[in-house]
Amino acid sequence: MTSSRTARNTRSADRRRQLIDAAAALFVERGYPHVSVADIARRAGVSAPTLYRHFDDKQALLFAAVQTRVDDLEASTDAAGLDAANDPVEALTRAVTRLGICNPQATSLWRWSGQHLSVEQNREVVRRTRATLRRWAAAINTGRPGLTERESMYLAGAVLSVVGSAAGRAARTVPMHIEDELMNLIRRTTGLSPRDATPLPDPVGLGDTVRTRRDEILDAAAELFARNGFAGSGVDDIGAAVGITGPSVYKHFPSKNAILLAIGQRSANRLDALALAAFAAVPDARGRLNSLVDSYVHAITSSPDLVVALTSGYALAGDPHAGELVASQRRYVQRWATLLMEVDPARSIESARLAVHAALSIVNDAERMPRSTGRPEFAARVAYLMKGLLGV
């Protein structure tokens, strides 16, 4: 009797993990709102009633998927043996690199999931993740007694960003020695000293523009999307924030998706304008790349537009009007990669893109998890980390 009960429990646990893995993969591929319970059941090879025997709804599956990935993060850290390692930083580097390559969702699923979880669920994910980051920070601090706890946490967070952004992307598309490339980026990151950050220069002025009702709507929508998520903000909410009725918003935009697309286009246009200004003001590749870092940090810390584009872009999946926005974003990354190859001619284009995506993710992730963003040193320190990772 006991053995049969054990076998049933094992099958149930296996089925639960099967459903979690199927859900996580679909959420990453399509975006949470575009995945149904039926899709998850179909991917897992089970019926919907079978799925409901294990989970109440899709949101419960998302939380389980995120928690399971945090489990993986904790298990990888345990297996690294940081406390007993002769070189804790190298042990950490190898462990997180393996995890990022073999299980990229463990270091990336949390990025966009927060807006679909409850306050209590987010609090639990953050608590567990920060506990793991403190262990990473302690490893990084070994042999560097001059680092403060806050500086070590900056570095630990940057490592998570590097692994989470670069590994999943590279494992799918980059034909190179990804493990070596990624470990080198992590080693460079853990060797930095955030206290060495210098204040950012004043942002380049782009000239005054005439404010319109359309701009007011975009400003209000960006604030709401950043605070409540795209799905949690309605057109009536946007109208109320501007002082007009919901139906009046449709005089300016045909849909909520059109508002989101316009926010993304506005942020892309601003980044392009800042890049052109940097190219005009600075003659050399290293100086231009430094200016791009500064302008990007200024842009993402001074307006919610970029964060909204990053966290809510899934809603535009399949939108025929989103193609040019995606193309613009790719051209922007390519501009960084081209400059990095001019600074370091030994780099391949794949290596340069990997480094650029990793650098951008340091500030993108910090803005998604705004625990330190209010600190006066925040912008300077993340810019310093990005430049240090890029070697400029």
Side-chain angles (χ1 to χ4, degrees):
M1 179 67 73
T2 301
S3 62
S4 63
R5 183 182 299 115
T6 301
R8 284 197 301 272
N9 290 340
T10 300
R11 286 196 298 271
S12 179
D14 290 345
R15 179 57 53 81
R16 181 181 172 86
R17 182 63 190 242
Q18 179 186 4
L19 289 165
I20 289 172
D21 290 344
L26 285 170
F27 294 153
V28 170
E29 291 171 15
R30 304 180 191 175
Y32 177 79
H34 300 292
V35 177
S36 68
V37 168
D39 293 330
I40 298 169
R42 191 177 305 111
R43 174 68 67 91
V46 302
S47 65
T50 297
L51 184 151
Y52 282 117
R53 283 200 291 271
H54 296 272
F55 298 97
D56 291 337
D57 52 29
K58 186 175 73 167
Q59 201 269 356
L61 254 172
L62 174 63
F63 183 51
V66 174
Q67 288 281 69
T68 299
R69 268 51 192 181
V70 177
D71 291 342
D72 295 339
L73 198 64
E74 292 171 343
S76 176
T77 303
D78 290 341
L82 301 180
D83 294 336
N86 292 329
D87 187 341
V89 176
E90 186 63 17
L92 172 66
T93 298
R94 293 184 178 279
V96 298
T97 298
R98 284 193 298 270
L99 180 67
I101 292 174
C102 300
N103 184 6
Q105 293 170 2
T107 53
S108 62
L109 188 61
W110 60 271
R111 274 198 173 92
W112 52 263
S113 61
Q115 61 184 303
H116 305 295
L117 299 176
S118 69
V119 173
E120 294 75 16
Q121 289 170 338
N122 271 312
R123 188 177 293 121
E124 174 64 9
V125 172
V126 170
R127 181 192 65 78
R128 294 181 62 196
T129 302
R130 286 189 64 81
T132 296
L133 290 181
R134 287 191 187 94
R135 297 172 65 188
W136 294 11
I140 293 169
N141 195 262
T142 303
R144 300 186 65 188
L147 281 180
T148 66
E149 180 182 0
R150 185 171 297 161
E151 287 179 303
S152 299
M153 285 296 287
Y154 265 104
L155 297 179
V159 168
L160 180 61
S161 297
V162 170
V163 176
S165 72
R169 185 185 310 277
R172 293 192 302 270
T173 63
V174 179
M176 62 178 177
H177 298 296
I178 175 61
E179 187 171 357
D180 291 340
E181 291 278 349
L182 193 51
M183 285 197 293
N184 286 336
L185 290 175
I186 295 170
R187 291 182 186 120
R188 178 171 283 177
T189 301
T190 56
L192 298 173
S193 298
R195 71 181 61 182
D196 292 339
T198 57
L200 267 65
D202 292 333
V204 175
L206 298 179
D208 295 329
T209 58
V210 178
R211 301 283 297 168
T212 66
R213 177 67 79 184
R214 178 185 173 90
D215 294 315
E216 293 175 358
I217 292 172
L218 292 179
D219 290 345
E223 292 286 351
L224 287 168
F225 294 162
R227 184 169 63 248
N228 304 327
F230 180 74
S233 306
V235 172
D236 287 343
D237 299 322
I238 296 169
V242 182
I244 61 177
T245 64
S248 295
V249 173
Y250 291 110
K251 296 178 181 178
H252 303 273
F253 298 95
S255 65
K256 191 171 74 165
N257 269 29
I259 296 174
L260 177 60
L261 180 59
I263 291 171
Q265 291 169 333
R266 184 169 71 170
S267 67
N269 290 341
R270 183 183 182 196
L271 289 177
D272 282 341
L274 289 169
L276 291 175
F279 272 62
V282 184
D284 64 291
R286 185 179 297 274
R288 288 174 172 176
L289 192 51
N290 269 281
S291 293
L292 284 182
V293 171
D294 292 339
S295 65
Y296 189 87
V297 172
H298 274 302
I300 200 170
T301 56
S302 62
S303 164
D305 284 8
L306 262 174
V307 172
V308 167
L310 291 166
T311 57
S312 301
Y314 64 82
L316 298 175
D319 189 322
H321 301 292
E324 178 51 36
L325 174 59
V326 173
S328 176
Q329 293 167 341
R330 288 174 177 168
R331 287 193 299 269
Y332 182 72
V333 170
Q334 183 61 35
R335 182 177 278 130
W336 285 56
T338 299
L339 287 173
L340 185 55
M341 288 191 296
E342 291 181 33
V343 172
D344 183 1
R347 281 188 182 273
S348 66
I349 183 60
E350 293 85 4
S351 172
R353 286 175 182 155
L354 183 69
V356 168
H357 281 296
L360 291 172
S361 290
I362 290 175
V363 66
N364 292 346
D365 289 349
E367 278 291 320
R368 286 188 183 102
M369 303 286 284
R371 187 178 180 88
S372 300
T373 52
R375 298 185 182 279
E377 75 276 11
F378 172 76
R381 285 193 170 183
V382 293
Y384 164 79
L385 294 175
M386 294 166 70
K387 293 172 185 177
L389 182 144
L390 295 171
V392 297

